[in-house]
Amino acid sequence: MLLQIQHITKCFDDRTAALTDVSFSVDQGEFVSVIGPSGAGKTTLLRLLNGAIGCDQGAILYQDEHFEAARGRRKRVMQKKTATIYQDFCLVENVSCLQNVLNACLPDMAALPASLGRFSRTQREEAVRLLTRVGLEDKLDTPVKNLSGGQKQRVAIARALLRRPLVLLADEPVASLDPATGRQILGLLRDIQQTEHLTVLMNSHNLALSREFSDRLIGLREGRMVFDGSVQEATPNVIAAIYGTAIPE
Ligand code: ADP
């Protein structure tokens, strides 16, 4: 199993229980969407999975290796098993698409070549290949600030893939895009997931898009996992149990 989440509990300092006893596993090549109302714990789950925060109880295993217990250098090695894309892209606006993608190499480079931006030929070729894969081969030298939202998310996807992650974590990746562009971006992610056997774990408040592009849905409500099943198994009753009375479109 690629990823195992075992009895995870996370409380914040003010004693808010963001997640309580959450357990599920993800196989390589799956596209899983985590759904649920605002405040259900979706973002907290992703932050635990990329190591931004630690859990209070439970275990997270990537390829049977404990992630939550890793410290120091080992933790940094483990963190490379994931890459995250965000709603607001988190790119450097004033520099080119190519440079933004190459920036993914910086944490692994020695201080001097990193500060001088001395990337290897292989790194450059891979960055160009990935920008071509996401449809931006004609924007390599364009500053990110001159791109549309959808194009920015394509750059972010290319940057994430340069890290060769085991799992691509996507935190509301199309929430700031118009519906048509959002569908294009999820179509691209789905295509990459299927052709390159990538594993994707996405947070989304857009139920229709989650249903359309995922293999499987995880339903969170008030920090507890209330559903884990295929899109077909997520019947209206299941959706009502996840969202309460406010069933989204
Ligand atoms: P979602 O992504 O589903 O909207 P979150 O994971 O952001 O939910 O939040 C789950 C709960 O944890 C909410 O009650 C939220 O207020 C709380 N929470 C999230 N982050 C923090 C934090 N840094 N400090 C305190 N409470 C937090």
mmCIF file of all heavy atoms in Angstrom, residues 53-98:
data_model
loop_
_atom_site.group_PDB
_atom_site.id
_atom_site.type_symbol
_atom_site.label_atom_id
_atom_site.label_comp_id
_atom_site.label_asym_id
_atom_site.label_seq_id
_atom_site.Cartn_x
_atom_site.Cartn_y
_atom_site.Cartn_z
ATOM 1 N N ILE A 53 2.432 20.062 9.451
ATOM 2 C CA ILE A 53 2.116 19.957 10.878
ATOM 3 C C ILE A 53 2.199 18.485 11.288
ATOM 4 O O ILE A 53 2.190 17.597 10.430
ATOM 5 C CB ILE A 53 0.699 20.513 11.209
ATOM 6 C CG1 ILE A 53 -0.374 19.822 10.356
ATOM 7 C CG2 ILE A 53 0.644 22.019 11.030
ATOM 8 C CD1 ILE A 53 -1.805 20.216 10.721
ATOM 9 N N GLY A 54 2.302 18.250 12.587
ATOM 10 C CA GLY A 54 2.372 16.879 13.094
ATOM 11 C C GLY A 54 1.042 16.469 13.711
ATOM 12 O O GLY A 54 0.224 17.308 14.064
ATOM 13 N N CYS A 55 0.849 15.156 13.843
ATOM 14 C CA CYS A 55 -0.402 14.687 14.443
ATOM 15 C C CYS A 55 -0.205 14.424 15.936
ATOM 16 O O CYS A 55 0.924 14.279 16.407
ATOM 17 C CB CYS A 55 -0.925 13.451 13.723
ATOM 18 S SG CYS A 55 0.219 12.087 13.661
ATOM 19 N N ASP A 56 -1.290 14.387 16.684
ATOM 20 C CA ASP A 56 -1.232 14.106 18.124
ATOM 21 C C ASP A 56 -1.221 12.605 18.382
ATOM 22 O O ASP A 56 -0.545 12.132 19.281
ATOM 23 C CB ASP A 56 -2.438 14.731 18.836
ATOM 24 C CG ASP A 56 -2.477 16.230 18.647
ATOM 25 O OD1 ASP A 56 -1.393 16.835 18.560
ATOM 26 O OD2 ASP A 56 -3.579 16.796 18.555
ATOM 27 N N GLN A 57 -2.008 11.904 17.614
ATOM 28 C CA GLN A 57 -2.066 10.440 17.767
ATOM 29 C C GLN A 57 -2.188 9.823 16.387
ATOM 30 O O GLN A 57 -2.652 10.468 15.451
ATOM 31 C CB GLN A 57 -3.298 10.044 18.578
ATOM 32 C CG GLN A 57 -3.210 10.370 20.045
ATOM 33 C CD GLN A 57 -4.542 10.100 20.728
ATOM 34 O OE1 GLN A 57 -5.240 9.141 20.434
ATOM 35 N NE2 GLN A 57 -4.899 10.990 21.643
ATOM 36 N N GLY A 58 -1.802 8.551 16.289
ATOM 37 C CA GLY A 58 -1.950 7.828 15.038
ATOM 38 C C GLY A 58 -0.671 7.807 14.232
ATOM 39 O O GLY A 58 0.370 8.318 14.676
ATOM 40 N N ALA A 59 -0.750 7.222 13.051
ATOM 41 C CA ALA A 59 0.438 7.040 12.220
ATOM 42 C C ALA A 59 0.110 7.309 10.756
ATOM 43 O O ALA A 59 -1.007 7.079 10.301
ATOM 44 C CB ALA A 59 0.965 5.612 12.378
ATOM 45 N N ILE A 60 1.140 7.837 10.040
ATOM 46 C CA ILE A 60 1.055 8.027 8.590
ATOM 47 C C ILE A 60 2.227 7.269 7.989
ATOM 48 O O ILE A 60 3.382 7.534 8.341
ATOM 49 C CB ILE A 60 1.156 9.525 8.220
ATOM 50 C CG1 ILE A 60 -0.005 10.307 8.823
ATOM 51 C CG2 ILE A 60 1.189 9.709 6.698
ATOM 52 C CD1 ILE A 60 0.160 11.817 8.747
ATOM 53 N N LEU A 61 1.944 6.307 7.106
ATOM 54 C CA LEU A 61 3.020 5.503 6.513
ATOM 55 C C LEU A 61 3.016 5.677 5.005
ATOM 56 O O LEU A 61 1.970 5.524 4.356
ATOM 57 C CB LEU A 61 2.838 4.015 6.841
ATOM 58 C CG LEU A 61 3.071 3.597 8.289
ATOM 59 C CD1 LEU A 61 1.808 3.753 9.123
ATOM 60 C CD2 LEU A 61 3.529 2.151 8.337
ATOM 61 N N TYR A 62 4.180 6.020 4.447
ATOM 62 C CA TYR A 62 4.379 6.002 3.001
ATOM 63 C C TYR A 62 5.220 4.772 2.696
ATOM 64 O O TYR A 62 6.324 4.628 3.235
ATOM 65 C CB TYR A 62 5.118 7.253 2.528
ATOM 66 C CG TYR A 62 4.253 8.506 2.521
ATOM 67 C CD1 TYR A 62 4.334 9.433 3.540
ATOM 68 C CD2 TYR A 62 3.353 8.738 1.488
ATOM 69 C CE1 TYR A 62 3.540 10.578 3.543
ATOM 70 C CE2 TYR A 62 2.560 9.879 1.474
ATOM 71 C CZ TYR A 62 2.662 10.790 2.499
ATOM 72 O OH TYR A 62 1.869 11.920 2.491
ATOM 73 N N GLN A 63 4.689 3.892 1.857
ATOM 74 C CA GLN A 63 5.367 2.627 1.506
ATOM 75 C C GLN A 63 5.886 1.933 2.774
ATOM 76 O O GLN A 63 7.055 1.562 2.868
ATOM 77 C CB GLN A 63 6.498 2.876 0.519
ATOM 78 C CG GLN A 63 5.966 3.328 -0.839
ATOM 79 C CD GLN A 63 7.055 3.655 -1.823
ATOM 80 O OE1 GLN A 63 8.072 4.254 -1.453
ATOM 81 N NE2 GLN A 63 6.873 3.276 -3.069
ATOM 82 N N ASP A 64 5.018 1.827 3.756
ATOM 83 C CA ASP A 64 5.272 1.112 5.020
ATOM 84 C C ASP A 64 6.282 1.799 5.934
ATOM 85 O O ASP A 64 6.660 1.247 6.959
ATOM 86 C CB ASP A 64 5.735 -0.339 4.762
ATOM 87 C CG ASP A 64 4.659 -1.147 4.059
ATOM 88 O OD1 ASP A 64 3.477 -0.913 4.360
ATOM 89 O OD2 ASP A 64 4.996 -1.975 3.210
ATOM 90 N N GLU A 65 6.715 3.016 5.559
ATOM 91 C CA GLU A 65 7.680 3.705 6.403
ATOM 92 C C GLU A 65 6.974 4.831 7.167
ATOM 93 O O GLU A 65 6.240 5.635 6.561
ATOM 94 C CB GLU A 65 8.804 4.281 5.530
ATOM 95 C CG GLU A 65 10.040 4.570 6.317
ATOM 96 C CD GLU A 65 11.178 5.085 5.406
ATOM 97 O OE1 GLU A 65 11.135 4.856 4.185
ATOM 98 O OE2 GLU A 65 12.056 5.738 5.948
ATOM 99 N N HIS A 66 7.221 4.902 8.470
ATOM 100 C CA HIS A 66 6.538 5.907 9.289
ATOM 101 C C HIS A 66 7.002 7.312 8.922
ATOM 102 O O HIS A 66 8.184 7.605 8.903
ATOM 103 C CB HIS A 66 6.824 5.662 10.778
ATOM 104 C CG HIS A 66 5.913 4.635 11.355
ATOM 105 N ND1 HIS A 66 4.690 4.949 11.896
ATOM 106 C CD2 HIS A 66 6.032 3.292 11.439
ATOM 107 C CE1 HIS A 66 4.094 3.845 12.308
ATOM 108 N NE2 HIS A 66 4.887 2.815 12.042
ATOM 109 N N PHE A 67 6.015 8.174 8.640
ATOM 110 C CA PHE A 67 6.280 9.558 8.272
ATOM 111 C C PHE A 67 6.202 10.462 9.500
ATOM 112 O O PHE A 67 7.042 11.331 9.719
ATOM 113 C CB PHE A 67 5.234 9.988 7.237
ATOM 114 C CG PHE A 67 5.334 11.398 6.747
ATOM 115 C CD1 PHE A 67 6.508 11.869 6.184
ATOM 116 C CD2 PHE A 67 4.249 12.262 6.811
ATOM 117 C CE1 PHE A 67 6.592 13.169 5.704
ATOM 118 C CE2 PHE A 67 4.328 13.559 6.334
ATOM 119 C CZ PHE A 67 5.493 14.004 5.783
ATOM 120 N N GLU A 68 5.189 10.207 10.334
ATOM 121 C CA GLU A 68 4.918 11.134 11.437
ATOM 122 C C GLU A 68 6.031 11.106 12.484
ATOM 123 O O GLU A 68 6.218 12.070 13.218
ATOM 124 C CB GLU A 68 3.547 10.840 12.063
ATOM 125 C CG GLU A 68 3.492 9.738 13.094
ATOM 126 C CD GLU A 68 3.759 8.342 12.554
ATOM 127 O OE1 GLU A 68 3.703 8.143 11.331
ATOM 128 O OE2 GLU A 68 4.042 7.454 13.367
ATOM 129 N N ALA A 69 6.799 10.005 12.535
ATOM 130 C CA ALA A 69 7.831 9.888 13.564
ATOM 131 C C ALA A 69 9.204 10.358 13.057
ATOM 132 O O ALA A 69 10.140 10.474 13.846
ATOM 133 C CB ALA A 69 7.928 8.430 14.032
ATOM 134 N N ALA A 70 9.320 10.622 11.743
ATOM 135 C CA ALA A 70 10.625 10.994 11.179
ATOM 136 C C ALA A 70 11.031 12.391 11.657
ATOM 137 O O ALA A 70 10.187 13.275 11.823
ATOM 138 C CB ALA A 70 10.553 10.966 9.656
ATOM 139 N N ARG A 71 12.311 12.584 11.887
ATOM 140 C CA ARG A 71 12.838 13.877 12.347
ATOM 141 C C ARG A 71 14.046 14.258 11.503
ATOM 142 O O ARG A 71 14.714 13.403 10.928
ATOM 143 C CB ARG A 71 13.299 13.785 13.807
ATOM 144 C CG ARG A 71 12.201 13.444 14.809
ATOM 145 C CD ARG A 71 11.336 14.675 15.142
ATOM 146 N NE ARG A 71 10.257 14.328 16.050
ATOM 147 C CZ ARG A 71 9.057 13.872 15.672
ATOM 148 N NH1 ARG A 71 8.788 13.710 14.393
ATOM 149 N NH2 ARG A 71 8.128 13.579 16.556
ATOM 150 N N GLY A 72 14.371 15.563 11.469
ATOM 151 C CA GLY A 72 15.598 16.054 10.860
ATOM 152 C C GLY A 72 15.732 15.657 9.398
ATOM 153 O O GLY A 72 14.801 15.822 8.608
ATOM 154 N N ARG A 73 16.923 15.128 9.050
ATOM 155 C CA ARG A 73 17.211 14.804 7.654
ATOM 156 C C ARG A 73 16.242 13.758 7.108
ATOM 157 O O ARG A 73 15.790 13.831 5.969
ATOM 158 C CB ARG A 73 18.644 14.287 7.557
ATOM 159 C CG ARG A 73 19.132 14.206 6.137
ATOM 160 C CD ARG A 73 20.603 13.891 6.016
ATOM 161 N NE ARG A 73 20.877 13.530 4.633
ATOM 162 C CZ ARG A 73 20.669 12.330 4.139
ATOM 163 N NH1 ARG A 73 20.222 11.357 4.890
ATOM 164 N NH2 ARG A 73 20.916 12.078 2.855
ATOM 165 N N ARG A 74 15.923 12.771 7.956
ATOM 166 C CA ARG A 74 15.005 11.708 7.540
ATOM 167 C C ARG A 74 13.628 12.288 7.185
ATOM 168 O O ARG A 74 12.978 11.871 6.241
ATOM 169 C CB ARG A 74 14.885 10.685 8.680
ATOM 170 C CG ARG A 74 14.150 9.438 8.330
ATOM 171 C CD ARG A 74 14.961 8.551 7.377
ATOM 172 N NE ARG A 74 14.073 7.849 6.461
ATOM 173 C CZ ARG A 74 14.287 7.679 5.171
ATOM 174 N NH1 ARG A 74 15.371 8.135 4.599
ATOM 175 N NH2 ARG A 74 13.440 7.036 4.417
ATOM 176 N N LYS A 75 13.222 13.281 7.983
ATOM 177 C CA LYS A 75 11.927 13.915 7.728
ATOM 178 C C LYS A 75 11.940 14.621 6.369
ATOM 179 O O LYS A 75 10.977 14.544 5.606
ATOM 180 C CB LYS A 75 11.618 14.920 8.837
ATOM 181 C CG LYS A 75 10.378 15.734 8.578
ATOM 182 C CD LYS A 75 9.427 15.698 9.721
ATOM 183 C CE LYS A 75 8.092 16.256 9.296
ATOM 184 N NZ LYS A 75 7.113 16.127 10.320
ATOM 185 N N ARG A 76 13.071 15.296 6.057
ATOM 186 C CA ARG A 76 13.146 15.999 4.772
ATOM 187 C C ARG A 76 13.106 15.007 3.613
ATOM 188 O O ARG A 76 12.497 15.262 2.584
ATOM 189 C CB ARG A 76 14.403 16.866 4.712
ATOM 190 C CG ARG A 76 14.287 18.117 5.587
ATOM 191 C CD ARG A 76 15.367 19.125 5.299
ATOM 192 N NE ARG A 76 16.686 18.667 5.674
ATOM 193 C CZ ARG A 76 17.158 18.681 6.918
ATOM 194 N NH1 ARG A 76 16.421 19.149 7.904
ATOM 195 N NH2 ARG A 76 18.370 18.239 7.189
ATOM 196 N N VAL A 77 13.766 13.861 3.786
ATOM 197 C CA VAL A 77 13.725 12.819 2.752
ATOM 198 C C VAL A 77 12.279 12.336 2.578
ATOM 199 O O VAL A 77 11.771 12.203 1.458
ATOM 200 C CB VAL A 77 14.651 11.632 3.130
ATOM 201 C CG1 VAL A 77 14.437 10.457 2.193
ATOM 202 C CG2 VAL A 77 16.106 12.081 3.096
ATOM 203 N N MET A 78 11.605 12.128 3.712
ATOM 204 C CA MET A 78 10.222 11.638 3.645
ATOM 205 C C MET A 78 9.301 12.676 3.004
ATOM 206 O O MET A 78 8.373 12.336 2.273
ATOM 207 C CB MET A 78 9.721 11.313 5.059
ATOM 208 C CG MET A 78 10.392 10.144 5.727
ATOM 209 S SD MET A 78 9.938 8.558 4.997
ATOM 210 C CE MET A 78 8.262 8.368 5.569
ATOM 211 N N GLN A 79 9.580 13.977 3.297
ATOM 212 C CA GLN A 79 8.707 15.019 2.758
ATOM 213 C C GLN A 79 8.765 15.063 1.231
ATOM 214 O O GLN A 79 7.830 15.526 0.599
ATOM 215 C CB GLN A 79 9.063 16.380 3.350
ATOM 216 C CG GLN A 79 8.437 16.574 4.720
ATOM 217 C CD GLN A 79 8.846 17.858 5.396
ATOM 218 O OE1 GLN A 79 9.964 18.319 5.219
ATOM 219 N NE2 GLN A 79 7.961 18.428 6.188
ATOM 220 N N LYS A 80 9.864 14.557 0.656
ATOM 221 C CA LYS A 80 9.969 14.552 -0.804
ATOM 222 C C LYS A 80 9.040 13.522 -1.452
ATOM 223 O O LYS A 80 8.913 13.480 -2.664
ATOM 224 C CB LYS A 80 11.417 14.306 -1.222
ATOM 225 C CG LYS A 80 12.241 15.543 -0.935
ATOM 226 C CD LYS A 80 13.599 15.623 -1.558
ATOM 227 C CE LYS A 80 14.287 14.399 -1.908
ATOM 228 N NZ LYS A 80 15.720 14.555 -2.117
ATOM 229 N N LYS A 81 8.411 12.710 -0.619
ATOM 230 C CA LYS A 81 7.469 11.737 -1.167
ATOM 231 C C LYS A 81 6.168 12.406 -1.608
ATOM 232 O O LYS A 81 5.353 11.814 -2.284
ATOM 233 C CB LYS A 81 7.177 10.637 -0.144
ATOM 234 C CG LYS A 81 8.413 9.777 0.135
ATOM 235 C CD LYS A 81 8.117 8.675 1.121
ATOM 236 C CE LYS A 81 9.365 7.921 1.525
ATOM 237 N NZ LYS A 81 9.973 7.153 0.449
ATOM 238 N N THR A 82 5.975 13.656 -1.167
ATOM 239 C CA THR A 82 4.773 14.369 -1.587
ATOM 240 C C THR A 82 5.163 15.688 -2.247
ATOM 241 O O THR A 82 6.239 16.221 -2.008
ATOM 242 C CB THR A 82 3.848 14.717 -0.398
ATOM 243 O OG1 THR A 82 4.489 15.714 0.402
ATOM 244 C CG2 THR A 82 3.548 13.497 0.449
ATOM 245 N N ALA A 83 4.262 16.193 -3.070
ATOM 246 C CA ALA A 83 4.354 17.577 -3.556
ATOM 247 C C ALA A 83 2.935 18.110 -3.505
ATOM 248 O O ALA A 83 1.976 17.353 -3.704
ATOM 249 C CB ALA A 83 4.912 17.627 -4.965
ATOM 250 N N THR A 84 2.812 19.411 -3.215
ATOM 251 C CA THR A 84 1.472 19.972 -3.005
ATOM 252 C C THR A 84 1.215 21.111 -3.974
ATOM 253 O O THR A 84 2.101 21.942 -4.214
ATOM 254 C CB THR A 84 1.336 20.498 -1.549
ATOM 255 O OG1 THR A 84 1.783 19.487 -0.648
ATOM 256 C CG2 THR A 84 -0.098 20.847 -1.212
ATOM 257 N N ILE A 85 0.024 21.132 -4.530
ATOM 258 C CA ILE A 85 -0.415 22.318 -5.275
ATOM 259 C C ILE A 85 -1.566 22.952 -4.498
ATOM 260 O O ILE A 85 -2.294 22.271 -3.785
ATOM 261 C CB ILE A 85 -0.820 22.007 -6.733
ATOM 262 C CG1 ILE A 85 -1.966 20.997 -6.803
ATOM 263 C CG2 ILE A 85 0.375 21.520 -7.524
ATOM 264 C CD1 ILE A 85 -2.538 20.837 -8.208
ATOM 265 N N TYR A 86 -1.685 24.294 -4.650
ATOM 266 C CA TYR A 86 -2.585 25.062 -3.802
ATOM 267 C C TYR A 86 -3.563 25.874 -4.634
ATOM 268 O O TYR A 86 -3.313 26.171 -5.808
ATOM 269 C CB TYR A 86 -1.778 26.033 -2.922
ATOM 270 C CG TYR A 86 -0.784 25.343 -2.028
ATOM 271 C CD1 TYR A 86 0.531 25.131 -2.456
ATOM 272 C CD2 TYR A 86 -1.147 24.891 -0.766
ATOM 273 C CE1 TYR A 86 1.456 24.481 -1.639
ATOM 274 C CE2 TYR A 86 -0.227 24.254 0.057
ATOM 275 C CZ TYR A 86 1.069 24.051 -0.388
ATOM 276 O OH TYR A 86 1.979 23.407 0.419
ATOM 277 N N GLN A 87 -4.631 26.286 -3.961
ATOM 278 C CA GLN A 87 -5.642 27.142 -4.584
ATOM 279 C C GLN A 87 -5.030 28.419 -5.162
ATOM 280 O O GLN A 87 -5.385 28.874 -6.236
ATOM 281 C CB GLN A 87 -6.675 27.493 -3.509
ATOM 282 C CG GLN A 87 -7.722 28.474 -3.928
ATOM 283 C CD GLN A 87 -8.737 28.707 -2.822
ATOM 284 O OE1 GLN A 87 -8.780 27.972 -1.833
ATOM 285 N NE2 GLN A 87 -9.554 29.708 -2.981
ATOM 286 N N ASP A 88 -4.063 29.015 -4.407
ATOM 287 C CA ASP A 88 -3.494 30.297 -4.849
ATOM 288 C C ASP A 88 -2.125 30.104 -5.509
ATOM 289 O O ASP A 88 -1.332 31.029 -5.598
ATOM 290 C CB ASP A 88 -3.424 31.293 -3.696
ATOM 291 C CG ASP A 88 -2.667 30.732 -2.508
ATOM 292 O OD1 ASP A 88 -2.177 29.589 -2.609
ATOM 293 O OD2 ASP A 88 -2.554 31.417 -1.486
ATOM 294 N N PHE A 89 -1.828 28.896 -5.969
ATOM 295 C CA PHE A 89 -0.685 28.535 -6.821
ATOM 296 C C PHE A 89 0.684 28.581 -6.129
ATOM 297 O O PHE A 89 1.539 27.761 -6.394
ATOM 298 C CB PHE A 89 -0.635 29.399 -8.106
ATOM 299 C CG PHE A 89 -1.991 29.685 -8.703
ATOM 300 C CD1 PHE A 89 -2.442 30.978 -8.872
ATOM 301 C CD2 PHE A 89 -2.832 28.640 -9.068
ATOM 302 C CE1 PHE A 89 -3.704 31.232 -9.394
ATOM 303 C CE2 PHE A 89 -4.094 28.883 -9.604
ATOM 304 C CZ PHE A 89 -4.529 30.190 -9.766
ATOM 305 N N CYS A 90 0.913 29.599 -5.274
ATOM 306 C CA CYS A 90 2.186 29.721 -4.549
ATOM 307 C C CYS A 90 3.388 29.714 -5.502
ATOM 308 O O CYS A 90 4.348 28.948 -5.317
ATOM 309 C CB CYS A 90 2.323 28.619 -3.494
ATOM 310 S SG CYS A 90 1.175 28.803 -2.150
ATOM 311 N N LEU A 91 3.329 30.562 -6.523
ATOM 312 C CA LEU A 91 4.445 30.713 -7.458
ATOM 313 C C LEU A 91 5.129 32.056 -7.217
ATOM 314 O O LEU A 91 4.573 32.926 -6.546
ATOM 315 C CB LEU A 91 3.921 30.665 -8.900
ATOM 316 C CG LEU A 91 3.222 29.370 -9.296
ATOM 317 C CD1 LEU A 91 2.486 29.546 -10.622
ATOM 318 C CD2 LEU A 91 4.217 28.212 -9.402
ATOM 319 N N VAL A 92 6.330 32.216 -7.781
ATOM 320 C CA VAL A 92 7.020 33.508 -7.712
ATOM 321 C C VAL A 92 6.601 34.292 -8.954
ATOM 322 O O VAL A 92 6.974 33.951 -10.076
ATOM 323 C CB VAL A 92 8.559 33.326 -7.665
ATOM 324 C CG1 VAL A 92 9.233 34.686 -7.480
ATOM 325 C CG2 VAL A 92 8.952 32.373 -6.554
ATOM 326 N N GLU A 93 5.797 35.329 -8.748
ATOM 327 C CA GLU A 93 5.117 35.999 -9.855
ATOM 328 C C GLU A 93 6.069 36.680 -10.837
ATOM 329 O O GLU A 93 5.810 36.731 -12.037
ATOM 330 C CB GLU A 93 4.150 37.057 -9.292
ATOM 331 C CG GLU A 93 2.954 36.449 -8.569
ATOM 332 C CD GLU A 93 1.830 36.085 -9.528
ATOM 333 O OE1 GLU A 93 1.651 36.778 -10.534
ATOM 334 O OE2 GLU A 93 1.136 35.086 -9.249
ATOM 335 N N ASN A 94 7.180 37.218 -10.325
ATOM 336 C CA ASN A 94 8.036 38.040 -11.187
ATOM 337 C C ASN A 94 9.040 37.248 -12.015
ATOM 338 O O ASN A 94 9.758 37.833 -12.809
ATOM 339 C CB ASN A 94 8.804 39.055 -10.347
ATOM 340 C CG ASN A 94 7.945 40.251 -10.048
ATOM 341 O OD1 ASN A 94 7.125 40.644 -10.875
ATOM 342 N ND2 ASN A 94 8.092 40.799 -8.858
ATOM 343 N N VAL A 95 9.122 35.958 -11.808
ATOM 344 C CA VAL A 95 10.095 35.178 -12.579
ATOM 345 C C VAL A 95 9.385 34.248 -13.558
ATOM 346 O O VAL A 95 8.167 34.060 -13.503
ATOM 347 C CB VAL A 95 11.098 34.404 -11.681
ATOM 348 C CG1 VAL A 95 11.800 35.333 -10.713
ATOM 349 C CG2 VAL A 95 10.417 33.276 -10.956
ATOM 350 N N SER A 96 10.172 33.686 -14.483
ATOM 351 C CA SER A 96 9.599 32.936 -15.601
ATOM 352 C C SER A 96 9.002 31.602 -15.149
ATOM 353 O O SER A 96 9.290 31.101 -14.057
ATOM 354 C CB SER A 96 10.694 32.665 -16.636
ATOM 355 O OG SER A 96 11.608 31.717 -16.103
ATOM 356 N N CYS A 97 8.207 31.036 -16.047
ATOM 357 C CA CYS A 97 7.632 29.699 -15.784
ATOM 358 C C CYS A 97 8.752 28.690 -15.563
ATOM 359 O O CYS A 97 8.701 27.876 -14.624
ATOM 360 C CB CYS A 97 6.796 29.254 -16.977
ATOM 361 S SG CYS A 97 5.370 30.296 -17.266
ATOM 362 N N LEU A 98 9.780 28.736 -16.432
ATOM 363 C CA LEU A 98 10.878 27.761 -16.327
ATOM 364 C C LEU A 98 11.573 27.888 -14.972
ATOM 365 O O LEU A 98 11.837 26.883 -14.298
ATOM 366 C CB LEU A 98 11.874 27.995 -17.473
ATOM 367 C CG LEU A 98 12.996 26.978 -17.588
ATOM 368 C CD1 LEU A 98 12.460 25.587 -17.851
ATOM 369 C CD2 LEU A 98 13.965 27.385 -18.699
#
